[in-house]
Amino acid sequence: MADNLDTTFGELEAAVAQAALSTAEEIDAFRIRYLSKKQGRITELLKGIPRVAPESRRAYGQRVNALKQAVETRLEQAQQQLMAQERSAPVDLDLTLPGRRPALGSLHPITQTEREIRRVFESFGFAVAEGPEIEDDWHNFGALNFPPDHPARDMQDTFWIDAPDEEGKGVLLRTHTSPVQIRVMQNQQPPVRVIAPGRVYRNEAISYKSFCLFHQVEGLYVDQGVSMADLKQILNSFAREIFGDDVKMRFRPSFFPFTEPSAEADIWWRDDSHPDGGRWLEILGSGMVDPEVLKAVDIDPEKYTGYAFGMGVERIAMLRHNISDIRVLYENDVRFLSQFN
Ligand code: PHE
């Protein structure tokens, strides 16, 4: 190996061995100086191979490799030293500061309202039941005394999964939670006292007060001697619990195939911008369970009577929080939802 080359190697080896590598900047600069693909010293040496006399090439190559090794070893050691130093360095930490609270989401206002309704009825002694959202024609209509082809079926615009066949058997998205009444009474003799919260679906025009899917809480009480007075009493108590003692509620006669007599209840929605200072918003349908319904589930209507009701959770949430359009409950806009933390 030519003398001047030998000197170059000697200098580089010494420089590698002695380089100060105590900071991240020094380590970076060192890596670039020797290993950079463009102009690193090692790269330059490798590029020089063609100019080395053939008989010296082997020795040259070995010396470059050894130098590269030395660079890599120093880099690794320096890196580890730096990390160890950082780990043991005293940190500026005030352990008496309170921890940071992680940001939490919140329950959707529909969920909050449904839980509130549940809480009230549980305190009145009601158990909670559930049923499927995909129902058959019989549970959703037939057992609830909707005769086949009866116009009352049109009251609830149905999303059919399997349209009804000649015998009237079909599969649908339940249009109300009343089929859960049937399912509960099929499995249990009176006394029955349950609520059934859940989602329901209706293929109807969407507006500020109606959406194609919404939530109901069904209620059912069947026992000996249950009367319409009991129904009104429980709904009045419920309204005071949810809306406060100054709530204004009215009952209107109505019609449902599965209750007789039937009534709907409205809550007064105070609204100063409205010419009348507010308006009535319907929140529920109710009535005395029709004897035909009891017969369909083998409960003796001579012995037992019952009341049932079905309330709209969204409508109640709208009244409680003064929400003027049901659709915002389904838009999942965080600016809206974060008001309900
Ligand atoms: N299922 C009825 C509806 O969705 C409400 C209702 C329930 C009426 C129970 C009477 C008794 O409109």
PDB file of all heavy atoms in Angstrom, residues 21-28 31 74-89:
ATOM      1  N   LEU A  21     -18.176  12.360  20.948  1.00  0.00           N
ATOM      2  CA  LEU A  21     -19.534  11.934  20.583  1.00  0.00           C
ATOM      3  C   LEU A  21     -20.450  11.950  21.794  1.00  0.00           C
ATOM      4  O   LEU A  21     -21.026  10.941  22.152  1.00  0.00           O
ATOM      5  CB  LEU A  21     -19.497  10.507  20.013  1.00  0.00           C
ATOM      6  CG  LEU A  21     -18.833  10.322  18.650  1.00  0.00           C
ATOM      7  CD1 LEU A  21     -18.840   8.853  18.253  1.00  0.00           C
ATOM      8  CD2 LEU A  21     -19.553  11.133  17.590  1.00  0.00           C
ATOM      9  N   SER A  22     -20.587  13.115  22.414  1.00  0.00           N
ATOM     10  CA  SER A  22     -21.399  13.078  23.629  1.00  0.00           C
ATOM     11  C   SER A  22     -22.787  13.688  23.444  1.00  0.00           C
ATOM     12  O   SER A  22     -23.655  13.486  24.279  1.00  0.00           O
ATOM     13  CB  SER A  22     -20.656  13.753  24.781  1.00  0.00           C
ATOM     14  OG  SER A  22     -20.064  14.941  24.319  1.00  0.00           O
ATOM     15  N   THR A  23     -22.997  14.405  22.353  1.00  0.00           N
ATOM     16  CA  THR A  23     -24.354  14.953  22.160  1.00  0.00           C
ATOM     17  C   THR A  23     -24.979  14.350  20.905  1.00  0.00           C
ATOM     18  O   THR A  23     -24.277  13.809  20.041  1.00  0.00           O
ATOM     19  CB  THR A  23     -24.305  16.480  21.968  1.00  0.00           C
ATOM     20  OG1 THR A  23     -23.646  16.748  20.730  1.00  0.00           O
ATOM     21  CG2 THR A  23     -23.573  17.170  23.088  1.00  0.00           C
ATOM     22  N   ALA A  24     -26.291  14.476  20.812  1.00  0.00           N
ATOM     23  CA  ALA A  24     -27.006  13.946  19.651  1.00  0.00           C
ATOM     24  C   ALA A  24     -26.514  14.611  18.378  1.00  0.00           C
ATOM     25  O   ALA A  24     -26.394  13.969  17.330  1.00  0.00           O
ATOM     26  CB  ALA A  24     -28.506  14.170  19.826  1.00  0.00           C
ATOM     27  N   GLU A  25     -26.191  15.915  18.458  1.00  0.00           N
ATOM     28  CA  GLU A  25     -25.720  16.638  17.273  1.00  0.00           C
ATOM     29  C   GLU A  25     -24.376  16.086  16.811  1.00  0.00           C
ATOM     30  O   GLU A  25     -24.151  15.880  15.621  1.00  0.00           O
ATOM     31  CB  GLU A  25     -25.570  18.142  17.554  1.00  0.00           C
ATOM     32  CG  GLU A  25     -26.873  18.875  17.811  1.00  0.00           C
ATOM     33  CD  GLU A  25     -27.458  18.597  19.187  1.00  0.00           C
ATOM     34  OE1 GLU A  25     -26.678  18.343  20.140  1.00  0.00           O
ATOM     35  OE2 GLU A  25     -28.700  18.582  19.308  1.00  0.00           O
ATOM     36  N   GLU A  26     -23.485  15.858  17.782  1.00  0.00           N
ATOM     37  CA  GLU A  26     -22.163  15.319  17.431  1.00  0.00           C
ATOM     38  C   GLU A  26     -22.303  13.943  16.792  1.00  0.00           C
ATOM     39  O   GLU A  26     -21.628  13.616  15.815  1.00  0.00           O
ATOM     40  CB  GLU A  26     -21.277  15.230  18.686  1.00  0.00           C
ATOM     41  CG  GLU A  26     -20.714  16.589  19.088  1.00  0.00           C
ATOM     42  CD  GLU A  26     -20.029  16.560  20.469  1.00  0.00           C
ATOM     43  OE1 GLU A  26     -20.156  15.548  21.186  1.00  0.00           O
ATOM     44  OE2 GLU A  26     -19.387  17.558  20.801  1.00  0.00           O
ATOM     45  N   ILE A  27     -23.173  13.160  17.338  1.00  0.00           N
ATOM     46  CA  ILE A  27     -23.364  11.803  16.803  1.00  0.00           C
ATOM     47  C   ILE A  27     -23.876  11.878  15.371  1.00  0.00           C
ATOM     48  O   ILE A  27     -23.378  11.177  14.481  1.00  0.00           O
ATOM     49  CB  ILE A  27     -24.346  11.008  17.700  1.00  0.00           C
ATOM     50  CG1 ILE A  27     -23.711  10.765  19.068  1.00  0.00           C
ATOM     51  CG2 ILE A  27     -24.736   9.695  17.041  1.00  0.00           C
ATOM     52  CD1 ILE A  27     -24.616  10.128  20.093  1.00  0.00           C
ATOM     53  N   ASP A  28     -24.830  12.776  15.129  1.00  0.00           N
ATOM     54  CA  ASP A  28     -25.375  12.934  13.786  1.00  0.00           C
ATOM     55  C   ASP A  28     -24.309  13.375  12.795  1.00  0.00           C
ATOM     56  O   ASP A  28     -24.190  12.827  11.697  1.00  0.00           O
ATOM     57  CB  ASP A  28     -26.499  13.979  13.805  1.00  0.00           C
ATOM     58  CG  ASP A  28     -27.860  13.315  13.764  1.00  0.00           C
ATOM     59  OD1 ASP A  28     -27.882  12.051  13.767  1.00  0.00           O
ATOM     60  OD2 ASP A  28     -28.875  14.027  13.749  1.00  0.00           O
ATOM     61  N   ARG A  31     -21.977  10.583  11.947  1.00  0.00           N
ATOM     62  CA  ARG A  31     -22.557   9.595  11.040  1.00  0.00           C
ATOM     63  C   ARG A  31     -22.509  10.130   9.602  1.00  0.00           C
ATOM     64  O   ARG A  31     -22.110   9.443   8.670  1.00  0.00           O
ATOM     65  CB  ARG A  31     -24.004   9.304  11.441  1.00  0.00           C
ATOM     66  CG  ARG A  31     -24.660   8.210  10.574  1.00  0.00           C
ATOM     67  CD  ARG A  31     -26.171   8.188  10.668  1.00  0.00           C
ATOM     68  NE  ARG A  31     -26.684   8.713  11.922  1.00  0.00           N
ATOM     69  CZ  ARG A  31     -26.878   7.994  13.016  1.00  0.00           C
ATOM     70  NH1 ARG A  31     -26.621   6.724  12.995  1.00  0.00           N
ATOM     71  NH2 ARG A  31     -27.310   8.560  14.120  1.00  0.00           N
ATOM     72  N   ARG A  74     -18.394   2.786  17.234  1.00  0.00           N
ATOM     73  CA  ARG A  74     -18.399   4.025  18.022  1.00  0.00           C
ATOM     74  C   ARG A  74     -19.793   4.650  18.046  1.00  0.00           C
ATOM     75  O   ARG A  74     -20.271   5.122  19.072  1.00  0.00           O
ATOM     76  CB  ARG A  74     -17.383   5.026  17.436  1.00  0.00           C
ATOM     77  CG  ARG A  74     -15.968   4.686  17.844  1.00  0.00           C
ATOM     78  CD  ARG A  74     -15.219   5.896  18.370  1.00  0.00           C
ATOM     79  NE  ARG A  74     -15.836   6.534  19.523  1.00  0.00           N
ATOM     80  CZ  ARG A  74     -15.562   7.764  19.932  1.00  0.00           C
ATOM     81  NH1 ARG A  74     -14.713   8.502  19.262  1.00  0.00           N
ATOM     82  NH2 ARG A  74     -16.137   8.268  20.993  1.00  0.00           N
ATOM     83  N   LEU A  75     -20.449   4.618  16.883  1.00  0.00           N
ATOM     84  CA  LEU A  75     -21.792   5.193  16.803  1.00  0.00           C
ATOM     85  C   LEU A  75     -22.729   4.503  17.778  1.00  0.00           C
ATOM     86  O   LEU A  75     -23.468   5.137  18.535  1.00  0.00           O
ATOM     87  CB  LEU A  75     -22.345   5.031  15.385  1.00  0.00           C
ATOM     88  CG  LEU A  75     -22.119   6.188  14.424  1.00  0.00           C
ATOM     89  CD1 LEU A  75     -22.634   5.823  13.038  1.00  0.00           C
ATOM     90  CD2 LEU A  75     -22.804   7.455  14.924  1.00  0.00           C
ATOM     91  N   GLU A  76     -22.674   3.186  17.771  1.00  0.00           N
ATOM     92  CA  GLU A  76     -23.584   2.427  18.615  1.00  0.00           C
ATOM     93  C   GLU A  76     -23.324   2.698  20.092  1.00  0.00           C
ATOM     94  O   GLU A  76     -24.257   2.933  20.864  1.00  0.00           O
ATOM     95  CB  GLU A  76     -23.417   0.944  18.314  1.00  0.00           C
ATOM     96  CG  GLU A  76     -24.534   0.141  18.930  1.00  0.00           C
ATOM     97  CD  GLU A  76     -24.677  -1.200  18.200  1.00  0.00           C
ATOM     98  OE1 GLU A  76     -24.490  -1.191  16.963  1.00  0.00           O
ATOM     99  OE2 GLU A  76     -24.925  -2.193  18.870  1.00  0.00           O
ATOM    100  N   GLN A  77     -22.036   2.701  20.450  1.00  0.00           N
ATOM    101  CA  GLN A  77     -21.702   2.946  21.864  1.00  0.00           C
ATOM    102  C   GLN A  77     -22.169   4.338  22.290  1.00  0.00           C
ATOM    103  O   GLN A  77     -22.755   4.520  23.358  1.00  0.00           O
ATOM    104  CB  GLN A  77     -20.191   2.807  22.086  1.00  0.00           C
ATOM    105  CG  GLN A  77     -19.751   1.369  22.161  1.00  0.00           C
ATOM    106  CD  GLN A  77     -18.228   1.226  22.087  1.00  0.00           C
ATOM    107  OE1 GLN A  77     -17.521   2.212  21.825  1.00  0.00           O
ATOM    108  NE2 GLN A  77     -17.727   0.017  22.296  1.00  0.00           N
ATOM    109  N   ALA A  78     -21.890   5.317  21.416  1.00  0.00           N
ATOM    110  CA  ALA A  78     -22.252   6.696  21.757  1.00  0.00           C
ATOM    111  C   ALA A  78     -23.759   6.827  21.930  1.00  0.00           C
ATOM    112  O   ALA A  78     -24.249   7.464  22.863  1.00  0.00           O
ATOM    113  CB  ALA A  78     -21.763   7.638  20.670  1.00  0.00           C
ATOM    114  N   GLN A  79     -24.474   6.173  21.037  1.00  0.00           N
ATOM    115  CA  GLN A  79     -25.931   6.196  21.082  1.00  0.00           C
ATOM    116  C   GLN A  79     -26.436   5.646  22.415  1.00  0.00           C
ATOM    117  O   GLN A  79     -27.302   6.236  23.056  1.00  0.00           O
ATOM    118  CB  GLN A  79     -26.429   5.307  19.928  1.00  0.00           C
ATOM    119  CG  GLN A  79     -27.820   5.594  19.467  1.00  0.00           C
ATOM    120  CD  GLN A  79     -27.907   6.875  18.683  1.00  0.00           C
ATOM    121  OE1 GLN A  79     -28.245   7.898  19.245  1.00  0.00           O
ATOM    122  NE2 GLN A  79     -27.550   6.821  17.394  1.00  0.00           N
ATOM    123  N   GLN A  80     -25.893   4.517  22.816  1.00  0.00           N
ATOM    124  CA  GLN A  80     -26.346   3.887  24.058  1.00  0.00           C
ATOM    125  C   GLN A  80     -26.009   4.730  25.272  1.00  0.00           C
ATOM    126  O   GLN A  80     -26.787   4.835  26.209  1.00  0.00           O
ATOM    127  CB  GLN A  80     -25.725   2.498  24.179  1.00  0.00           C
ATOM    128  CG  GLN A  80     -26.426   1.564  23.210  1.00  0.00           C
ATOM    129  CD  GLN A  80     -26.124   0.114  23.478  1.00  0.00           C
ATOM    130  OE1 GLN A  80     -25.280  -0.194  24.321  1.00  0.00           O
ATOM    131  NE2 GLN A  80     -26.801  -0.756  22.761  1.00  0.00           N
ATOM    132  N   GLN A  81     -24.828   5.314  25.230  1.00  0.00           N
ATOM    133  CA  GLN A  81     -24.418   6.153  26.339  1.00  0.00           C
ATOM    134  C   GLN A  81     -25.385   7.328  26.498  1.00  0.00           C
ATOM    135  O   GLN A  81     -25.820   7.646  27.601  1.00  0.00           O
ATOM    136  CB  GLN A  81     -23.016   6.695  26.069  1.00  0.00           C
ATOM    137  CG  GLN A  81     -22.146   6.711  27.299  1.00  0.00           C
ATOM    138  CD  GLN A  81     -20.703   6.894  26.888  1.00  0.00           C
ATOM    139  OE1 GLN A  81     -20.422   7.603  25.913  1.00  0.00           O
ATOM    140  NE2 GLN A  81     -19.787   6.262  27.615  1.00  0.00           N
ATOM    141  N   LEU A  82     -25.710   7.913  25.372  1.00  0.00           N
ATOM    142  CA  LEU A  82     -26.599   9.065  25.393  1.00  0.00           C
ATOM    143  C   LEU A  82     -27.957   8.681  25.967  1.00  0.00           C
ATOM    144  O   LEU A  82     -28.531   9.379  26.808  1.00  0.00           O
ATOM    145  CB  LEU A  82     -26.772   9.593  23.964  1.00  0.00           C
ATOM    146  CG  LEU A  82     -27.451  10.957  23.855  1.00  0.00           C
ATOM    147  CD1 LEU A  82     -26.514  12.037  24.373  1.00  0.00           C
ATOM    148  CD2 LEU A  82     -27.812  11.243  22.407  1.00  0.00           C
ATOM    149  N   MET A  83     -28.462   7.516  25.550  1.00  0.00           N
ATOM    150  CA  MET A  83     -29.759   7.073  26.038  1.00  0.00           C
ATOM    151  C   MET A  83     -29.723   6.825  27.541  1.00  0.00           C
ATOM    152  O   MET A  83     -30.643   7.196  28.281  1.00  0.00           O
ATOM    153  CB  MET A  83     -30.197   5.804  25.309  1.00  0.00           C
ATOM    154  CG  MET A  83     -31.167   6.133  24.178  1.00  0.00           C
ATOM    155  SD  MET A  83     -31.217   4.897  22.882  1.00  0.00           S
ATOM    156  CE  MET A  83     -31.513   3.409  23.789  1.00  0.00           C
ATOM    157  N   ALA A  84     -28.643   6.191  27.998  1.00  0.00           N
ATOM    158  CA  ALA A  84     -28.517   5.901  29.429  1.00  0.00           C
ATOM    159  C   ALA A  84     -28.489   7.213  30.213  1.00  0.00           C
ATOM    160  O   ALA A  84     -29.112   7.340  31.265  1.00  0.00           O
ATOM    161  CB  ALA A  84     -27.246   5.096  29.682  1.00  0.00           C
ATOM    162  N   GLN A  85     -27.785   8.181  29.651  1.00  0.00           N
ATOM    163  CA  GLN A  85     -27.695   9.483  30.322  1.00  0.00           C
ATOM    164  C   GLN A  85     -29.064  10.138  30.435  1.00  0.00           C
ATOM    165  O   GLN A  85     -29.440  10.646  31.487  1.00  0.00           O
ATOM    166  CB  GLN A  85     -26.813  10.402  29.492  1.00  0.00           C
ATOM    167  CG  GLN A  85     -25.467  10.662  30.112  1.00  0.00           C
ATOM    168  CD  GLN A  85     -24.584  11.383  29.105  1.00  0.00           C
ATOM    169  OE1 GLN A  85     -25.068  12.152  28.279  1.00  0.00           O
ATOM    170  NE2 GLN A  85     -23.286  11.112  29.183  1.00  0.00           N
ATOM    171  N   GLU A  86     -29.775  10.073  29.324  1.00  0.00           N
ATOM    172  CA  GLU A  86     -31.102  10.700  29.323  1.00  0.00           C
ATOM    173  C   GLU A  86     -32.014  10.050  30.342  1.00  0.00           C
ATOM    174  O   GLU A  86     -32.796  10.701  31.013  1.00  0.00           O
ATOM    175  CB  GLU A  86     -31.729  10.614  27.929  1.00  0.00           C
ATOM    176  CG  GLU A  86     -31.246  11.743  27.034  1.00  0.00           C
ATOM    177  CD  GLU A  86     -31.633  11.554  25.575  1.00  0.00           C
ATOM    178  OE1 GLU A  86     -32.347  10.581  25.266  1.00  0.00           O
ATOM    179  OE2 GLU A  86     -31.183  12.376  24.763  1.00  0.00           O
ATOM    180  N   ARG A  87     -31.885   8.716  30.458  1.00  0.00           N
ATOM    181  CA  ARG A  87     -32.756   8.006  31.394  1.00  0.00           C
ATOM    182  C   ARG A  87     -32.486   8.392  32.838  1.00  0.00           C
ATOM    183  O   ARG A  87     -33.379   8.482  33.654  1.00  0.00           O
ATOM    184  CB  ARG A  87     -32.586   6.490  31.232  1.00  0.00           C
ATOM    185  CG  ARG A  87     -33.584   5.897  30.258  1.00  0.00           C
ATOM    186  CD  ARG A  87     -33.712   4.409  30.497  1.00  0.00           C
ATOM    187  NE  ARG A  87     -32.456   3.710  30.268  1.00  0.00           N
ATOM    188  CZ  ARG A  87     -32.079   3.266  29.082  1.00  0.00           C
ATOM    189  NH1 ARG A  87     -32.860   3.434  28.040  1.00  0.00           N
ATOM    190  NH2 ARG A  87     -30.932   2.643  28.938  1.00  0.00           N
ATOM    191  N   SER A  88     -31.197   8.597  33.160  1.00  0.00           N
ATOM    192  CA  SER A  88     -30.886   8.835  34.572  1.00  0.00           C
ATOM    193  C   SER A  88     -30.852  10.325  34.925  1.00  0.00           C
ATOM    194  O   SER A  88     -30.695  10.681  36.071  1.00  0.00           O
ATOM    195  CB  SER A  88     -29.546   8.184  34.923  1.00  0.00           C
ATOM    196  OG  SER A  88     -28.556   8.777  34.108  1.00  0.00           O
ATOM    197  N   ALA A  89     -31.007  11.167  33.902  1.00  0.00           N
ATOM    198  CA  ALA A  89     -30.935  12.604  34.192  1.00  0.00           C
ATOM    199  C   ALA A  89     -32.098  13.020  35.093  1.00  0.00           C
ATOM    200  O   ALA A  89     -33.197  12.503  34.949  1.00  0.00           O
ATOM    201  CB  ALA A  89     -30.995  13.382  32.890  1.00  0.00           C
TER     202      ALA A  89
END
